[in-house]
């Protein structure tokens, strides 16, 4: 049996242990400390542009009250909090937005469940919005219609909008921001899969009022488990920091005036993150190179389409590469299980891990009672798509093996 190829395996720089050893040497073995602060600084250096490094022709939706703007003065003020998970970051973002019982939140349906779960933690209801076919992300037009319908039906505006950057692909965030500005609803970007992706030169996760990052083991960089929340300004950053550390007020005794959470990142995990940040750009270059190799090899296989940046504004990190089968393509071993499942089994037999595209949230039993605005796009993609490996251990040889395995599983 040939060696196993995994979807996306974590890959160390070698510097992680230095940061961890330092933490042990100085006895910083707790959820705060120099590595946590250091990782936040590293992230801010990468993601928060200064006036000089600001893309010139970026997104220009103006709505200062919602902080949706591309205005350099607003972008520069952003700060980042390191947390125990991306899921915790979404939860605290919703808490900081004041989302609570009886509220509704517009959530992209085509995503991992972690985008929607935290909405229920605060007692709110996710309202699912389907995708558009170019980016596979939230359809701005459908979002607008869905909000109008929610307002008509409930007499209340949804409290937040959660677009997702699926597999690292930027959403049409300028159009989503325009809808958000029209309705004056804040945006919480789920950028968990899009570390380093850009839209018109600006990093995903820095457009909305809040942006979410994940450093889980299989994401672009890892802290073993962890996440971060991009906050609009110092004041909000302090508020989120307080929520993340049990909402302790500054008194000599333990004084609490709000319900708090234990969501801060461990200083040991953050040490891994600091090591990872030294090779973040290499990881990004690698994933884009893998996509390029797939592009070349799939070029002469009819019936397989590689999910690509739909235009010049989009710059995906290609966290996972994804393919779709054209309607009349037939896959060997499709005994009624569907083409993605037949292909997944065929590749598994050759020791290659692949994964179905995310099953849309409006199809999940757990969210069956939630309102959903669907257009068939995510259902269609789910029925004919597959994620294929793209991690740091996927080299040219592995890409060839994967593409050959796919080619030989197609029925002529
Ligand atoms: C991974 C992921 C999350 C959650 O991040 P964790 O760090 O695993 O909690 C949220 N949303 C999406 C789309 C993800 O892929």
């Amino acid at each position: 049996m040939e060696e196993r190829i995994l979807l996306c395996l974590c890959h160390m720089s070698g510097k992680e242990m230095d940061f961890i050893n330092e933490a042990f040497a100085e006895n910083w073995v707790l959820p705060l400390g120099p590595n946590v602060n250091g990782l936040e600084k590293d992230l801010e250096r990468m993601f928060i542009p200064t006036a000089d490094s600001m893309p010139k022709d970026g997104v220009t939706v103006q709505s200062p009250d919602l902080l949706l703007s591309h205005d350099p003065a607003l972008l520069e003020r952003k700060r980042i909090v390191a947390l125990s998970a991306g899921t915790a970051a979404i939860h605290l973002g919703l808490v900081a937005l004041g989302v609570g019982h009886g509220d509704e939140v517009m959530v992209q349906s085509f995503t991992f469940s972690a985008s929607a779960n935290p909405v229920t933690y605060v007692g709110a209801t996710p309202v699912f919005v389907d995708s558009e076919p170019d980016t596979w992300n939230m359809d701005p037009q459908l979002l607008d219609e869905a909000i109008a319908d929610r307002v008509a039906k409930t007499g209340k505006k949804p409290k937040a909008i959660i677009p997702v950057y699926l597999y690292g692909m930027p959403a049409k965030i300028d159009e989503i921001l325009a809808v958000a500005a029209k309705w004056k609803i804040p945006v919480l970007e789920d950028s968990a899969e899009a570390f380093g992706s850009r839209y018109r030169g600006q990093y995903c996760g820095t457009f909305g009022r809040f942006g979410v990052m994940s450093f889980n083991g299989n994401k672009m960089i890892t802290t073993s488990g962890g996440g971060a929340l991009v906050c609009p300004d110092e004041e909000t950053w302090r508020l989120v920091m307080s929520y993340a550390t049990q909402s302790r007020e500054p008194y000599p005794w333990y004084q609490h005036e709000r319900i708090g959470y234990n969501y801060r990142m461990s200083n040991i995990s953050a040490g891994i993150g600091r090591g990872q940040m030294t090779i973040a750009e290499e990881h990004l270059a690698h994933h884009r190179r893998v996509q390029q190799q797939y592009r070349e090899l799939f070029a002469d296989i009819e019936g397989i389409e590689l999910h690509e940046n739909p235009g010049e504004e989009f710059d995906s990190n290609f966290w996972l590469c994804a393919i779709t089968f054209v309607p009349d393509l037939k896959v060997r071993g499709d005994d009624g299980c569907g083409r993605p499942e037949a292909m997944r089994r065929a590749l598994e037999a050759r020791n290659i891990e692949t994964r179905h595209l995310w099953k849309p949230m409006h199809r999940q039993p757990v969210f069956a009672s939630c309102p959903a605005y669907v257009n068939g796009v995510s259902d269609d993609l789910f029925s004919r798509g597959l994620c294929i490996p793209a991690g740091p251990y996927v080299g040219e040889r592995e890409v060839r093996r994967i593409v050959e395995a796919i080619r030989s599983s197609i029925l002529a």
Side-chain angles (χ1 to χ4, degrees):
M1 178 73 88
E2 283 186 276
E3 216 171 301
R4 182 147 180 82
I5 305 176
L6 292 167
L7 267 177
C8 187
L9 205 60
C10 57
H11 163 262
M12 296 298 120
S13 68
K15 303 216 173 67
E16 289 79 4
M17 282 312 290
D18 296 344
F19 290 107
I20 292 175
N21 284 330
E22 218 173 282
F24 273 82
E26 293 167 18
N27 209 12
W28 283 102
V29 187
L30 71 173
L32 64 106
N35 283 336
V36 183
N37 300 339
L39 176 61
E40 288 172 343
K41 285 292 156 241
D42 290 347
L43 292 168
E44 284 173 1
R45 217 170 297 126
M46 175 167 174
F47 289 103
I48 311 302
T50 57
D52 303 336
S53 67
M54 202 77 62
K56 296 291 172 279
D57 58 346
V59 176
T60 52
V61 179
Q62 295 294 332
S63 182
D65 51 336
L66 291 170
L67 295 157
L68 298 172
S69 171
H70 178 71
D71 183 344
L74 289 178
L75 252 178
E76 268 180 332
R77 276 165 40 196
K78 290 190 185 260
R79 298 285 316 271
I80 298 179
V81 186
L83 298 168
S84 57
T87 309
I90 299 177
H91 188 184
L92 285 193
L94 293 168
V95 169
L97 286 172
V99 181
H101 266 276
D103 289 332
E104 290 189 337
V105 175
M106 311 306 287
V107 184
Q108 181 164 321
S109 185
F110 199 21
T111 187
F112 176 47
S113 63
S115 307
N117 283 335
V119 174
T120 69
Y121 304 168
V122 296
T125 303
V127 175
F128 295 111
V129 179
D130 215 326
S131 292
E132 45 87 13
D134 293 359
T135 66
W136 300 5
N137 292 317
M138 190 181 266
D139 182 329
Q141 179 72 36
L142 188 58
L143 171 69
D144 189 34
E145 291 164 19
I147 295 172
D149 193 56
R150 293 327 292 163
V151 172
K153 285 208 169 86
T154 68
K156 245 175 45 163
K157 265 189 333 191
K159 274 287 186 65
I161 301 168
I162 306 183
V164 185
Y165 303 115
L166 223 55
Y167 309 122
M169 182 62 70
K172 290 179 176 163
I173 192 66
D174 53 348
E175 295 177 34
I176 291 171
L177 291 178
V179 173
K182 171 183 156 189
W183 291 98
K184 295 207 181 307
I185 301 172
V187 170
L188 195 171
E189 301 162 84
D190 182 347
S191 197
E193 299 179 0
F195 180 97
S197 298
R198 299 184 200 225
Y199 182 77
R200 291 207 197 159
Q202 186 176 332
Y203 282 112
C204 293
T206 66
F207 290 95
R209 185 162 174 86
F210 289 102
V212 169
M213 299 184 188
S214 167
F215 312 123
N216 211 326
N218 59 353
K219 296 281 160 74
M220 187 59 77
I221 65 163
T222 185
T223 59
S224 72
L229 189 64
V230 183
C231 301
D233 49 38
E234 180 86 21
E235 194 188 337
T236 316
W237 181 81
R238 281 187 197 291
L239 177 72
V240 170
M241 189 71 84
S242 165
Y243 276 125
T245 53
Q246 307 286 21
S247 297
R248 244 188 97 183
E249 300 293 330
Y251 290 82
W253 53 89
Y254 278 69
Q255 172 97 1
H256 304 278
E257 293 165 12
R258 280 190 298 259
I259 296 296
Y261 304 83
N262 180 9
Y263 277 171
R264 196 82 166 112
M265 184 184 280
S266 146
N267 194 54
I268 303 303
S269 302
I272 304 174
R274 289 184 82 184
Q276 292 276 289
M277 282 302 282
T278 65
I279 46 165
E281 292 297 344
E282 284 169 48
H283 280 194
L284 285 166
H286 179 84
H287 281 249
R288 289 177 174 133
R289 204 157 49 235
V290 169
Q291 172 81 3
Q292 174 61 25
Q293 286 161 3
Y294 277 129
R295 187 176 294 140
E296 286 163 14
L297 294 177
F298 278 127
D300 44 60
I301 301 185
E302 232 169 285
I304 303 274
E305 282 169 357
L306 189 62
H307 187 35
E308 291 275 21
N309 287 317
E312 285 203 332
E313 320 86 282
F314 303 85
D315 185 12
S316 174
N317 64 7
F318 296 109
W319 166 58
L320 291 183
C321 298
I323 53 172
T324 48
F325 309 127
V326 302
D328 53 2
L329 179 110
K330 293 202 169 36
V331 175
R332 206 180 291 280
D334 181 2
D335 53 6
C337 62
R339 295 178 294 167
E341 179 58 13
M343 184 64 84
R344 191 194 66 77
R345 289 177 192 167
L347 269 70
E348 189 60 44
R350 292 165 177 244
N351 223 6
I352 298 167
E353 182 190 25
T354 61
R355 193 195 281 155
H356 286 260
L357 301 186
W358 299 124
K359 180 172 177 175
M361 291 305 112
H362 69 267
R363 294 285 173 204
Q364 299 290 355
V366 71
F367 294 123
S369 65
C370 299
Y373 294 81
V374 297
N375 56 15
V377 170
S378 61
D379 284 335
D380 171 55
L381 290 167
F382 178 66
S383 76
R384 61 185 185 91
L386 204 62
C387 287
I388 55 179
Y393 292 98
V394 178
E396 212 174 322
R397 205 167 54 94
E398 286 73 24
V399 171
R400 280 185 196 286
R401 216 182 104 195
I402 295 161
V403 173
E404 271 324 299
I406 291 172
R407 188 202 298 272
S408 64
S409 305
I410 296 172
L411 279 179

